[in-house]
Amino acid sequence: QQPVQSPQAVILREGEDAVINCSSSKALYSVHWYRQKHGEAPVFLMILLKGGEQKGHEKISASFNEKKQQSSLYLTASQLSYSGTYFCGTEFTGANNLFFGTGTRLTVIP
Amino acid sequence: NAGVTQTPKFQVLKTGQSMTLQCAQDMNHEYMSWYRQDPGMGLRLIHYSVGAGITDQGEVPNGYNVSRSTTEDFPLRLLSAAPSQTSVYFCASSRAQRAGGAFFGQGTRLTVV
């Protein structure tokens, strides 16, 4: 039931853009995005609900395609502070829990 | 602001020992969950609770028990520790899955020898 994330890892130079994808084989009600830095707890970035709009926060935004059961996280003009592992969490229609993907390790270099 | 507090932060157990990982939140959240994180596996759901007195199994519940006698506390019990339970454990809470994101505790790094 885990969603599938891609790519598994990506290396960027400061200022470059990246897209992280998350897909599910089951009907989704919501998609969450989290970032985890090494040795720390995951931190919530945003949630996208079925029927909702594309969300954004400064240079990090996300979309949710309900028909394809997919979500994408967009990181624009990346900064060093964006480095970490990004997880998508998916909630299925009718369920009360969150299943996480295996993560995408993002490294931003100067 | 305490948020979600997990204790202990580190623990070493011998095979066959039992222990309880503590989790407490002060945000009056309904939902609480336990995840384990292993390299390359992401976060896998062990047990979760949608309110006091209500618990349910997640993806990997075997070898673990939980209870939710109060809104604030959600302890995770390892019944008879095995090396396969070596992992980092995270507790999380949220108002409701659809109302916003989850807040995670700082994690417990458990080693079973």
Side-chain angles (χ1 to χ4, degrees):
Chain A
Q1 301 187 68
Q2 277 187 308
V4 177
Q5 282 187 239
S6 63
Q8 289 186 322
V10 59
I11 299 175
L12 300 174
R13 291 197 178 275
E14 270 188 295
E16 292 181 338
D17 302 339
V19 180
I20 300 172
N21 299 303
C22 175
S23 63
S24 172
S25 58
K26 296 179 67 173
L28 297 175
Y29 187 89
S30 72
V31 178
H32 298 221
W33 286 97
Y34 292 79
R35 177 170 63 206
Q36 184 180 29
K37 294 193 179 280
H38 183 69
E40 299 181 4
V43 174
F44 173 70
L45 294 176
M46 65 186 77
I47 180 174
L48 297 99
L49 301 176
K50 185 178 179 179
E53 302 174 349
Q54 179 168 337
K55 290 283 188 75
H57 176 67
E58 295 183 346
K59 297 177 182 176
I60 299 177
S61 62
S63 63
F64 180 18
N65 186 323
E66 299 165 36
K67 289 184 178 179
K68 293 185 177 180
Q69 309 304 330
Q70 294 175 347
S71 178
S72 295
L73 185 71
Y74 306 95
L75 299 102
T76 306
S78 58
Q79 306 168 13
L80 294 176
S81 61
Y82 286 3
S83 291
T85 301
Y86 289 79
F87 292 97
C88 69
T90 54
E91 180 193 5
F92 304 123
T93 301
N96 287 314
N97 44 40
L98 205 58
F99 292 91
F100 285 91
T102 54
T104 296
R105 177 172 289 184
L106 179 76
T107 304
V108 182
I109 58 176
Chain B
N1 295 333
V4 179
T5 303
Q6 282 184 240
T7 56
K9 290 186 178 180
F10 301 94
Q11 183 70 49
V12 178
L13 286 180
K14 292 183 178 179
T15 298
Q17 287 184 319
S18 62
M19 79 159 294
T20 299
L21 278 63
Q22 301 291 343
C23 176
Q25 53 95 5
D26 61 359
M27 297 173 282
N28 202 32
H29 284 169
E30 297 173 2
Y31 284 68
M32 295 187 76
S33 307
W34 276 102
Y35 293 89
R36 60 177 290 173
Q37 186 172 36
D38 303 294
M41 303 290 287
L43 293 152
R44 292 185 292 170
L45 182 65
I46 304 171
H47 286 284
Y48 67 100
S49 169
V50 299
I54 305 170
T55 63
D56 207 344
Q57 297 181 349
E59 302 168 86
V60 288
N62 292 339
Y64 308 95
N65 274 354
V66 293
S67 60
R68 184 98 180 267
S69 56
T70 67
T71 300
E72 294 78 19
D73 301 301
F74 191 44
L76 177 72
R77 297 183 190 84
L78 279 71
L79 308 174
S80 177
S84 61
Q85 293 180 304
T86 293
S87 186
V88 180
Y89 292 84
F90 286 101
C91 176
S93 76
S94 62
R95 285 187 291 124
Q97 298 289 22
R98 301 167 186 183
F103 291 81
F104 282 81
Q106 287 305 300
T108 296
R109 184 174 294 273
L110 176 69
T111 302
V112 183
V113 297

